[in-house]
Amino acid sequence: MTDRSPGQKPLLVTVLVFPGVRLLDVTGPIEVFATANEFGGRYRVRTVSSDGADVTTSAGTGLSVDLAAPDVSYVSDVVLVPGGPEWPSLIKDDALLSAVQALDARSRLTASVCTGAFLLAAAGLLDGRRATTHWRYTDQLALRYPRVTVDPDALFVRDGRMMTSAGVSSGIDLSLALVEEHLGVDVARAVAKDMVVFMQRPGGQSQFSVRTSSPHTRQDMLRRVLDAATEDPSADHTLSAMARRAGISTRHMTRLFREELGTTPARYVEQVRMEAAKAMLEGGDDPMASVARHSGFGSPESLRRAFARNLGITPGAYRARFRTTGATSGTGPMTDSSEPREPSDRLLSP
């Protein structure tokens, strides 16, 4: 199953741990990278603490540590900063914040899981960037660190060489995205199937938030057009309307979408409207006509066609997923197979 040539350079992942760290924040991502190695990956994971001492997690489980942060002399492909329930005191730990900064200085990409975002923010690494954290703490992240643009809906956010993820298990989603980036979609899919997790999970703090899956645009006028679409999906967002809003020709607008976002204006708007419709279906009992109208699809039939095209299910079936896990009736979303279903249209964070 493993196909690694001796000449392949390992991908170095450094995980910063500390007393009171949440266990799954650490082990979830490590398991993803270890499983990727069974499918041709080449990850080498090292655990680091600020002083090199072993730590005890918030669950009471001990974790061994490979070395102290000051002794890290190599460049990491990924530095992972997990969270913990005692994050308010952790962000005041100068030694821990110094370790975060030192590891980031020797990293190609720095990522956090759950409340680990507070450590990145306290270390000044998220200033001027977009980020997310567990839904319960997004307001506090925004209040404590006003220079950080907090996205409360995303499962994870990629902004340049920084990634932040939402609640605990989202570290698995983030790690799968990194495996896909490093090794390709086939390996990431194999890892997800082997771990019996969704490669892309429906609902919740969706990693397919259009706002986070679109790369940064260099064009301010295009950013204004994108923001207008996400702020009011039901407004007029035809190609001509968007071009008029930006003060450019339709041909120029089409070219900007292709060059900056790798998609078409119509496709982008449909994704925005899908996101709005899914949020309404997940969180309420609004009639389908109301969902269609407020999300911008206009009619229940248009809404149904869009869901069939993008997810392969009806809006009603999508809503039903969030009524119950199906654990007692045996009708959960993974009952059909030992492998998770994979919706058809995966968008990657940049």
Side-chain angles (χ1 to χ4, degrees):
M1 188 178 294
T2 302
D3 182 22
R4 285 172 286 172
S5 65
Q8 280 186 314
K9 183 179 179 182
L11 288 161
L12 302 178
V13 178
T14 301
V15 183
L16 177 64
V17 298
F18 45 83
V21 68
R22 194 177 292 276
L23 183 61
L24 188 58
D25 285 11
V26 177
T27 57
I30 288 177
E31 189 64 29
V32 170
F33 297 128
T35 304
N37 286 346
E38 298 177 20
F39 295 94
R42 53 193 189 279
Y43 290 101
R44 182 179 300 166
V45 180
R46 292 172 177 170
T47 53
V48 172
S49 64
S50 58
D51 59 1
D54 294 347
V55 303
T56 300
T57 71
S58 61
T61 303
L63 288 178
S64 63
V65 168
D66 295 316
L67 70 167
D71 296 334
V72 174
S73 58
Y74 58 88
V75 175
S76 301
D77 292 283
V78 179
V79 162
L80 190 71
V81 180
E86 300 302 321
W87 63 264
S89 60
L90 295 174
I91 60 176
K92 300 174 184 176
D93 186 333
D94 292 337
L96 183 58
L97 296 182
S98 294
V100 171
Q101 292 168 333
L103 292 174
D104 173 70
R106 300 188 64 82
S107 173
R108 294 186 174 90
L109 183 142
T110 298
S112 66
V113 181
C114 198
T115 55
F118 284 88
L119 290 173
L120 297 189
L125 302 180
L126 297 181
D127 287 354
R129 296 183 184 273
R130 293 174 298 120
T132 194
T133 188
H134 191 290
W135 60 266
R136 188 176 294 164
Y137 304 114
T138 51
D139 288 346
Q140 292 200 50
L141 184 63
L143 286 171
R144 286 174 179 263
Y145 304 101
R147 296 188 64 186
V148 180
T149 301
V150 179
D151 188 331
D153 299 319
L155 197 62
F156 60 77
V157 173
R158 172 77 174 265
D159 191 331
R161 51 180 298 277
M162 293 287 163
M163 290 184 79
T164 50
S165 60
V168 190
S169 61
S170 65
I172 294 174
D173 302 283
L174 178 149
S175 301
L176 281 171
L178 289 175
V179 169
E180 180 167 351
E181 180 179 313
H182 295 151
L183 305 174
V185 66
D186 290 340
V187 174
R189 183 178 294 114
V191 172
K193 288 181 177 180
D194 191 77
M195 294 181 65
V196 197
V197 298
F198 281 105
M199 187 171 176
Q200 61 175 51
R201 70 169 102 168
Q205 295 189 90
S206 174
Q207 66 198 28
F208 303 107
S209 168
V210 176
R211 300 174 196 178
T212 60
S213 64
S214 297
H216 274 313
T217 174
R218 297 164 294 179
Q219 304 289 337
D220 287 342
M221 60 181 175
L222 181 56
R223 174 51 56 192
R224 289 193 297 271
V225 167
L226 302 182
D227 289 344
T230 56
E231 287 167 9
D232 185 6
S234 65
D236 182 5
H237 299 300
T238 59
L239 175 58
S240 58
M242 289 191 291
R244 194 164 53 247
R245 198 171 293 132
I248 59 177
S249 68
T250 55
R251 179 176 297 181
H252 189 190
M253 178 61 71
T254 300
R255 184 167 61 251
L256 282 178
F257 266 85
R258 184 177 63 251
E259 293 175 352
E260 296 285 325
L261 304 181
T263 189
T264 66
R267 180 63 179 146
Y268 181 85
V269 171
E270 181 172 81
Q271 290 165 6
V272 168
R273 288 173 172 165
M274 280 291 298
E275 187 174 289
K278 287 192 292 183
M280 292 183 69
L281 292 169
E282 292 160 20
D285 295 307
D286 296 311
M288 287 299 172
S290 178
V291 173
R293 183 170 64 256
H294 289 293
S295 62
F297 285 108
S299 70
E301 178 58 25
S302 295
L303 178 68
R304 188 194 64 77
R305 287 199 300 267
F307 266 70
R309 183 165 54 249
N310 286 277
L311 298 178
I313 60 175
T314 66
Y318 184 88
R319 171 180 273 167
R321 290 185 176 186
F322 300 94
R323 299 301 186 199
T324 175
T325 62
T328 56
S329 63
T331 57
M334 292 189 193
T335 303
D336 296 345
S337 168
S338 62
E339 297 175 354
R341 295 176 187 149
E342 297 167 5
S344 59
D345 195 19
R346 187 171 202 273
L347 297 176
L348 286 176
S349 291

